[in-house]
Amino acid sequence: MSVTDREADPLAQSGVPLTPSEASPGPSGTPGRLLVPYGQGRTRGLDAHQLGAHGAAMDQLVALGLPVVPGLTVPADAAASLCDPGTAEAAVDLVEQLSGRRIGDTARPVLLRLSASAPTEIAGLPPDLACLGVTPAQADDLCALIGRADALYELWATTVRVIAEYALDVPGALLDDALLDAPTPRARMEVLLSLAAEHGSRPFPDDPAQQLALAARALLGRWDSPRARRSRKAQRLPADLAVALHVQALRIGPADHSGYGTAVSRDPETGRLSPQGSFFRGVRRSAPPPHTGEPLDRLAGGTALLEHSLLTLERHLRAPVSVDFEVRDGEISLLAASAQARPPLRASVCLAADLARDGALGREDAVRRITPAQVQELLHPQLRLTGGEELLAKGLPASPGAATGAVALTSERVLELAADGTQVVLVAAETTPADVPGMLASAAVLTGSGGIASHAAVVARGAGKPAVCGAEGLRVDLAAGTVRFGDRVVREGDQVSLDGRTGAVYAGTLSVSVAGPPPELSTLLEWADGVRRLGVRVNADTAAEVETALALGAEGVGLCRTEHQFLGERLPLIRRVLLAADPAARDEALAALERAQHEDFHALLTAVGNRPVTVRLLDAPLHEFLPAPGHAPDAAEEQRAAALREANPMLGLRGVRLALLHERLYPAQAEALFTAWADVAATGVRPELEVMIPLVSLPEELAAAAAYVRGAADAVAARTGVEVPYRLGTMIETPRAALLAGELAGHAEFFSFGTNDLTQLTYGFSRDDVERQVLASYQERGFLTASPFARLDPHGVGALVGLAAERARGARPGIKLGVCGEHGGDPESIAFCDDLGLDYVSCSAHRVPVARMAAAHSALRRRQDEERRDESGRPR
């Protein structure tokens, strides 16, 4: 976006004096009438089609009251008139008047620059021609004034080379051959003048007006060349597209006090208004030599010269901006200005907040400007790629962020290395609950199997760790201590880097950007909270996760997975319950489990405070709690474990089914929960407790489990005298539960849709295996646009959610409805849930800000749709 892209109220008149021919009307063909000083185009009724993109932009800069380089435009339909010496002489006189300098003045000299522009920014425009007005007699004096030998000669030679070929008819091949033997800019200039005199239609003139007329002829000749026409054809532009010509003052001064440069308005690292760029001394050129610029703070007057102009442009364009500028006599003049094509994200966030605080933008508009994807990008570190990295593998982007570290092949090895301060990446075929301590100690997780709803992905997202799952060709050899990526072998201890946002894994240590959004993001998210209807909670299992999520804006806990509290060191507690040899051993194990759960729940509820918290009773496939074959402590326990192993654990003895077979399991958990609530309430904190029964398919299952919970509440009340207020609900994660939602609502005060399992069971897809083996192919073939485990399927799974919501509300109008699957952090899925009128979504802690912004965008979109319907009387 340039300054022409947004209409602005004129803030100042141009202040440009009129030529005599402008002051009094004359024939439309008089030279002065064909010349439009910067800033006067709009008053003459001219637009970008006549003024060109550059002329229109300069017009707007003047209207904004900003200082511009003195210059004028010859409109497109009159551009050829500049080839006439009379028009060229009038242009020279006008530019001298505008700049307050004269060509040939030894104290304050000025030269001319000629350029062309089309109505829009396009490729293939003729090159700028600078240093018009120089004569051989003046050149050395001008270089001495600048303070640099040959400062003008190289630029002047470039200009004369184009004029010689396209206006003086010197053959291009002759010019090229002769210049090969000229080692210096001064020598090249002498060769060019000699060739023009000997082979050209006339010698190169000393008169500035005649030079300008020849330069115009050369530019228009280049524009009409076969090469230029081919370029326009490739861009689907008219072959006869006209260009405007622009004559600018090229003011000459000492290099210590003058020059030119480029700047952007905001620091890319902080996002704050702070001009950043480069400054070049000497004569302004279109493409300065690389690596010759100096920091802006070295220019005369420093960055303060730029701040007013940049701030004004930001308010006008409502975007971070970039400018080309010139500094002469301690003053700045703008050469060009536009919105940055791809501004740094921090800059966009800070500007949106600044504009809203200043009243230049409404808060809702500020929220609209930052997408949920951009919020996620700010919250996580990113790899800084250069293009020369060695890609080891591509997998599924299971948890965003980036990290680099030494390869470790077991959780135990991760803990050893991490204890010494080593950054570690856990690499495994797949992870199990026993790996959680190592996962939490690692910088990132990489697996060869599993999808974005697998154990590794869920745990990594909850912990805020980058993860890539289902990496192609990954094979772990524990005995050899190696990982094979196709034909490439990496040893334990070698460095790898991974990007959890793209699923890419690289060899070696790559540079990683530091995460950390600017404070302005929190401001925008607070404004988003004021817009959204949908609540945002967190899936969190520990007090530490809750504290992280609350700091990120969560309104409570939408899912506490109690089975995650038995991971790592606590795993033996639930294993003892499941593998107890007799009822006495089971009761002893349950008592130990209850004590541990009380401790966990007390910490969790304390962290939640006076907010809602949904605690799901045990729901995990049984195999996650059993020892691996051959790893039980004795033969008897090995036998009992073998008897419990299942061919398809995800569809086996889990959730409410396990509780109905181990009848003391849910009562023990519930009593621990209610007792912890009573203890926390004694301190003045009263969490809004919700107890959830998982994996229900039959109303009878829910009724039986609900009786366990009510019995536990009665037992705690009898023991403590505290009647714990709570809601009882269920997780809708089977298609049958969704279809029977009306009947289940008779036993439940809330539903939470477990969309991970609901997707798995609706499609018949294994959430651990199908993504890598099937879904990638389906997406390539166009069967699916996205993984249904990443984005809620609106037609199948979503239809079940909508049907269940409708039937549940019909049976219990006040029922609370939420989503706690990983779709709760996906923006498109969030919009779908908002459209269904669900009450909240719940997601992993580090996706909470993303969900907040997505819910706000959904609300704004819905409001916009309603306004359109009101205006048109029908949906659009």
Side-chain angles (χ1 to χ4, degrees):
M1 184 193 299
S2 72
V3 290
T4 61
D5 291 320
R6 186 182 295 277
E7 192 66 26
D9 293 328
L11 301 181
Q13 296 299 317
S14 68
V16 176
L18 299 178
T19 66
S21 60
E22 291 295 320
S24 59
S28 61
T30 60
R33 207 53 206 165
L34 303 174
L35 309 177
V36 184
Y38 289 160
Q40 291 190 5
R42 193 159 65 171
T43 62
R44 299 191 189 186
L46 303 176
D47 59 16
H49 290 283
Q50 285 297 318
L51 297 173
H54 172 77
M58 300 304 278
D59 222 41
Q60 286 297 317
L61 290 176
V62 172
L64 288 168
L66 298 176
V68 301
V69 170
L72 58 86
T73 296
V74 184
D77 60 2
S81 69
L82 193 59
C83 301
D84 176 71
T87 304
E89 184 172 359
V92 171
D93 291 343
L94 181 53
V95 171
E96 287 181 331
Q97 185 180 358
L98 294 170
S99 66
R101 296 186 176 208
R102 295 194 64 80
I103 296 175
D105 188 331
T106 57
R108 300 176 69 247
V110 66
L111 300 174
L112 303 177
R113 172 188 292 269
L114 181 67
S115 63
S117 72
T120 59
E121 299 293 339
I122 65 171
L125 286 170
D128 294 356
L129 300 181
C131 294
L132 298 171
V134 179
T135 67
Q138 298 171 324
D140 286 341
D141 291 339
L142 289 172
C143 286
L145 177 63
I146 295 167
R148 300 191 175 190
D150 287 346
L152 270 82
Y153 280 107
E154 184 174 353
L155 199 54
W156 188 27
T158 301
T159 293
V160 174
R161 165 69 176 76
V162 175
I163 292 174
E165 180 176 359
Y166 287 93
L168 300 178
D169 303 322
V170 180
L174 179 64
L175 291 166
D176 292 338
D177 289 344
L179 290 174
L180 288 175
D181 297 325
T184 66
R186 185 191 297 262
R188 285 195 290 275
M189 196 63 235
E190 293 172 354
V191 168
L192 287 166
L193 293 176
S194 175
L195 289 172
E198 184 178 352
H199 299 281
S201 58
R202 57 174 290 189
F204 188 81
D206 286 345
D207 180 71
Q210 293 183 37
Q211 289 186 20
L212 178 60
L214 288 173
R217 184 184 302 276
L219 272 190
L220 294 175
R222 278 285 293 261
W223 180 243
D224 200 41
S225 67
R227 180 179 179 181
R229 287 178 171 271
R230 287 195 300 272
S231 174
R232 291 198 289 280
K233 182 178 180 180
Q235 298 176 72
R236 299 183 179 179
L237 296 170
D240 59 351
L241 181 68
V243 290
L245 297 181
H246 312 285
V247 185
Q248 278 186 355
L250 187 62
R251 295 171 289 189
I252 304 299
D256 290 343
H257 302 95
S258 59
Y260 61 102
T262 61
V264 295
S265 56
R266 293 190 172 250
D267 186 323
E269 296 298 325
T270 67
R272 301 288 188 277
L273 181 69
S274 176
Q276 307 286 310
S278 298
F279 175 65
F280 303 88
R281 301 185 187 277
V283 185
R284 172 163 47 94
R285 59 183 62 195
S286 300
H291 313 301
T292 60
E294 302 177 41
L296 291 181
D297 56 13
R298 293 188 187 175
L299 64 84
T303 58
L305 283 173
L306 286 162
E307 287 179 358
H308 169 72
S309 295
L310 292 172
L311 186 61
T312 301
L313 285 165
E314 281 194 341
R315 296 308 184 263
H316 175 62
L317 294 177
R318 297 183 180 181
V321 298
S322 62
V323 296
D324 295 340
F325 65 90
E326 179 182 270
V327 174
R328 293 286 181 269
D329 303 329
E331 296 180 353
I332 190 167
S333 300
L334 299 182
L335 302 164
S338 63
Q340 284 184 260
R342 284 178 289 276
L345 185 49
R346 284 177 175 81
S348 297
V349 168
C350 290
L351 177 63
D354 288 349
L355 290 174
R357 281 192 290 246
D358 293 347
L361 197 68
R363 289 185 174 184
E364 292 185 359
D365 289 330
V367 169
R368 281 190 180 97
R369 293 167 76 92
I370 306 302
T371 66
Q374 289 174 319
V375 174
Q376 176 168 287
E377 186 177 335
L378 280 171
L379 291 172
H380 300 283
Q382 309 288 324
L383 291 179
R384 292 192 175 106
L385 302 179
T386 63
E389 296 80 14
E390 180 188 355
L391 181 67
L392 293 175
K394 285 283 286 185
L396 298 169
S399 182
T404 183
V407 169
L409 302 183
T410 64
S411 182
E412 293 77 15
R413 184 59 178 155
V414 170
L415 295 172
E416 290 174 12
L417 293 172
D420 294 333
T422 303
Q423 188 105 327
V424 188
V425 174
L426 174 62
V427 182
E430 60 182 347
T431 62
T432 69
D435 292 318
V436 169
M439 296 173 71
L440 299 179
S442 66
V445 177
L446 171 62
T447 67
S449 62
I452 59 176
S454 65
H455 174 269
V458 171
V459 173
R461 278 195 295 271
K465 306 282 185 180
V468 173
C469 294
E472 297 175 359
L474 187 151
R475 297 290 183 271
V476 175
D477 187 337
L478 289 175
T482 61
V483 185
R484 183 177 291 277
F485 297 92
D487 295 332
R488 178 75 154 82
V489 176
V490 172
R491 302 195 66 80
E492 191 167 37
D494 289 350
Q495 294 286 316
V496 296
S497 303
L498 62 80
D499 188 336
R501 183 174 56 90
T502 64
V505 184
Y506 301 96
T509 302
L510 304 185
S511 176
V512 179
S513 66
V514 178
E520 285 78 2
L521 180 61
S522 296
T523 300
L524 291 170
L525 287 170
E526 288 173 8
W527 295 343
D529 292 341
V531 171
R532 63 183 169 87
R533 180 201 65 82
L534 201 62
V536 177
R537 300 192 194 179
V538 65
N539 298 341
D541 314 314
T542 66
E545 291 177 2
V546 171
E547 290 166 358
T548 297
L550 294 181
L552 293 171
E555 298 166 324
V557 175
L559 175 63
C560 169
R561 295 154 291 204
T562 56
E563 64 274 7
H564 282 193
Q565 296 174 342
F566 298 111
L567 303 177
E569 296 178 356
R570 293 281 179 87
L571 184 58
L573 291 175
I574 186 64
R575 189 172 286 171
R576 284 172 55 196
V577 173
L578 298 173
L579 299 178
D582 51 57
R586 181 171 289 116
D587 289 343
E588 182 181 343
L590 282 168
L593 178 145
E594 188 173 343
R595 288 192 296 272
Q597 288 264 270
H598 177 273
E599 180 182 330
D600 291 336
F601 289 142
H602 189 282
L604 179 82
L605 296 174
T606 300
V608 168
N610 299 318
R611 299 178 183 87
V613 52
T614 305
V615 177
R616 182 178 74 185
L617 301 181
L618 200 67
D619 177 31
L622 197 59
H623 73 292
E624 292 191 2
F625 296 137
L626 299 177
H631 286 73
D634 56 55
E637 189 164 307
E638 178 70 36
Q639 187 175 7
R640 290 194 294 273
L644 290 173
R645 291 194 184 97
E646 300 169 302
N648 193 343
M650 294 299 290
L651 300 181
L653 191 58
R654 54 174 291 207
V656 71
R657 304 164 191 169
L658 179 63
L660 292 174
L661 294 181
H662 291 265
E663 296 187 355
R664 279 291 302 146
L665 181 58
Y666 277 7
Q669 282 193 290
E671 286 191 33
L673 176 61
F674 293 142
T675 303
W677 189 95
D679 292 344
V680 170
T683 68
V685 176
R686 296 177 64 86
E688 299 173 23
L689 187 58
E690 299 173 347
V691 182
M692 185 158 66
I693 310 299
L695 206 71
V696 166
S697 295
L698 305 168
E700 293 80 4
E701 289 175 318
L702 180 56
Y708 292 157
V709 175
R710 284 193 290 270
D714 292 341
V716 171
R719 188 171 67 250
T720 65
V722 176
E723 292 190 5
V724 178
Y726 68 96
R727 286 178 171 169
L728 190 136
T730 189
M731 198 168 192
I732 304 296
E733 49 194 326
T734 70
R736 193 174 197 276
L739 294 171
L740 296 182
E743 294 180 46
L744 293 175
H747 304 280
E749 298 169 276
F750 72 90
F751 284 170
S752 184
F753 292 94
T755 51
N756 296 347
D757 267 321
L758 188 57
T759 298
Q760 177 173 239
L761 296 173
T762 300
Y763 272 99
F765 285 159
S766 165
R767 59 195 259 191
D768 290 311
D769 303 314
V770 75
E771 285 190 90
R772 181 168 57 89
Q773 299 183 25
V774 176
L775 295 189
S777 170
Y778 276 24
Q779 288 175 248
E780 289 174 2
R781 299 173 72 176
F783 294 0
L784 295 169
T785 57
S787 164
F789 293 105
R791 185 167 301 152
L792 190 63
D793 159 37
H795 306 294
V797 181
L800 283 173
V801 173
L803 179 65
E806 179 183 353
R807 291 182 177 179
R809 288 175 180 138
R812 187 187 290 265
I815 194 168
K816 181 180 287 188
L817 303 173
V819 162
C820 61
E822 284 304 312
H823 301 94
D826 171 63
E828 290 193 29
S829 305
I830 288 169
F832 180 81
C833 294
D834 195 22
D835 289 342
L836 287 181
L838 302 188
D839 296 297
Y840 68 88
V841 293
S842 189
C843 58
S844 55
H846 293 272
R847 299 181 84 182
V848 165
V850 178
R852 292 165 66 192
M853 186 62 77
H857 276 238
S858 175
L860 291 170
R861 187 235 342 136
R862 287 167 58 83
R863 183 185 305 171
Q864 190 174 51
D865 290 346
E866 291 170 2
E867 291 171 354
R868 287 175 178 171
R869 283 194 291 270
D870 290 343
E871 290 173 2
S872 65
R874 57 183 174 81
R876 290 186 179 180

